[in-house]
Amino acid sequence: MVLSPADKTNIKAAWAKVGNHAADFGAEALERMFMSFPSTKTYFSHFDLGHNSTQVKGHGKKVADALTKAVGHLDTLPDALSDLSDLHAHKLRVDPVNFKLLSHCLLVTLAAHLPGDFTPPVHASLDKFLASVSTVLTSKYR
Amino acid sequence: MVHFTAEEKAAITGLWGKVNVEEAGGEALGRLLVVYPWTQRFFDSFGNLSSPSAIMGNPKVKAHGKKVLTSFGDAVKNMDNLKGAFAKLSELHCDKLHVDPENFRLLGNVMVIILASHFGREFTPELQAAWQKLVAAVATALAHKYH
């Protein structure tokens, strides 16, 4: 799957609209994921997963910062996310199916907060973007 | 068999009451065809699907989307017996339409996204969880008669 020039424009524009809500959106996406897909909580047995958890907020910011970096390096995703890719492959070993679940919840969060901007073409580009990031993060698994 | 709590049922039916089925149906099917273009394989007879705006404005897409979402309304009314309610449709999708059940999961998730975009903050994580349960159960029910 390749990100077209139009995709890249859509992704950057959408992320600019997210602005400094990125950390909040990251945390909300995680909360949505834990609630809709309880199996995802198995990776966070060491976390307080209650509403407004500081740990979830902190982790949401981590996820958001990584996505912000990815948006800034759409042409060189494998390179930009190389360290995170190593981390997920050798230390975290999150089953690949879970990246789709978090990606979906990120899209739900964006749709809920930016409905006017979340047009079908933008929805498509963001779906492709998150799929590309997921592919990079699982690329060194075996 | 999936069991919905009283709270989940109330949450789902409460939201469904506010959905414009005609509009949301067209939007859901349209977005499916835009975001996952390979799903267009089932709709060769629908005419112009050459761009997002062509797809979203296509009258056949809108009409079929309305049909699909109206049928989904039956799910909301039959949450205690989805397999029974969708038995005939399941046979149809397998034997006549030859639709890979993965497509039901894709459409279900697109529907959840549309609900989020329409209802914003009102579409809380709890509400989303109830809806994810329903769309997953409908997808399973529609796949149940496959052979």
Side-chain angles (χ1 to χ4, degrees):
Chain A
M1 161 180 32
V2 172
L3 295 175
S4 70
D7 286 325
K8 292 177 192 175
T9 304
N10 286 342
I11 293 160
K12 286 182 206 277
W15 208 252
K17 286 271 159 62
V18 168
N20 52 18
H21 294 292
D24 289 335
F25 288 4
E28 184 178 326
L30 285 170
E31 189 185 1
R32 286 182 180 277
M33 185 185 71
F34 293 140
M35 230 178 267
S36 282
F37 309 108
S39 59
T40 57
K41 294 191 291 186
T42 56
Y43 293 95
F44 294 93
S45 53
H46 54 299
F47 265 33
D48 160 26
L49 296 180
H51 186 57
N52 275 330
S53 149
T54 330
Q55 285 175 304
V56 173
K57 284 187 203 219
H59 201 68
K61 181 174 188 323
K62 262 192 194 168
V63 169
D65 287 346
L67 289 173
T68 301
K69 183 174 186 194
V71 172
H73 294 86
L74 293 175
D75 292 324
T76 54
L77 280 179
D79 195 64
L81 298 175
S82 179
D83 287 348
L84 268 178
S85 179
D86 288 334
L87 182 75
H88 283 77
H90 304 124
K91 188 147 174 284
L92 302 177
R93 292 170 292 183
V94 173
D95 190 285
V97 73
N98 296 285
F99 293 90
K100 284 196 185 185
L101 302 179
L102 180 56
S103 295
H104 171 67
C105 290
L106 279 160
L107 291 177
V108 170
T109 304
L110 292 173
H113 288 278
L114 306 169
D117 299 297
F118 200 73
T119 63
V122 169
H123 175 175
S125 298
L126 287 170
D127 192 291
K128 280 172 80 173
F129 167 61
L130 293 172
S132 302
V133 169
S134 301
T135 297
V136 170
L137 289 180
T138 55
S139 61
K140 300 181 195 175
Y141 270 37
R142 55 178 171 172
Chain B
M1 204 188 82
V2 180
H3 174 74
F4 293 89
T5 66
E7 290 79 13
E8 285 168 336
K9 286 183 188 174
I12 287 166
T13 44
L15 199 76
W16 189 250
K18 302 187 217 177
V19 171
N20 178 329
V21 168
E22 176 163 2
E23 239 176 60
E27 198 182 341
L29 187 62
R31 279 182 186 254
L32 182 77
L33 299 173
V34 167
V35 178
Y36 309 108
W38 55 91
T39 59
Q40 294 169 25
R41 68 191 301 284
F42 302 106
F43 301 104
D44 280 340
S45 63
F46 273 28
N48 186 4
L49 299 178
S50 60
S51 70
S53 50
I55 291 169
M56 301 309 290
N58 183 310
K60 287 191 174 178
V61 171
K62 289 187 192 193
H64 196 68
K66 178 182 175 187
K67 199 176 183 182
V68 170
L69 221 68
T70 302
S71 173
F72 202 87
D74 288 340
V76 176
K77 293 196 200 100
N78 291 284
M79 281 187 265
D80 289 328
N81 182 21
L82 290 171
K83 291 199 160 91
F86 283 95
K88 284 264 166 308
L89 269 178
S90 180
E91 283 169 12
L92 178 79
H93 281 78
C94 173
D95 299 331
K96 294 264 147 49
L97 303 177
H98 311 292
V99 175
D100 178 349
E102 180 59 22
N103 292 284
F104 309 144
R105 291 178 257 283
L106 289 178
L107 181 61
N109 278 338
V110 169
M111 279 178 56
V112 167
I113 285 173
I114 281 164
L115 291 174
S117 74
H118 285 198
F119 293 101
R121 260 167 244 274
E122 195 183 337
F123 196 64
T124 59
E126 289 82 1
L127 203 42
Q128 180 189 349
W131 274 90
Q132 295 287 171
K133 210 169 151 180
L134 181 62
V135 301
V138 171
T140 301
L142 275 173
H144 185 65
K145 292 286 191 184
Y146 272 57
H147 60 96

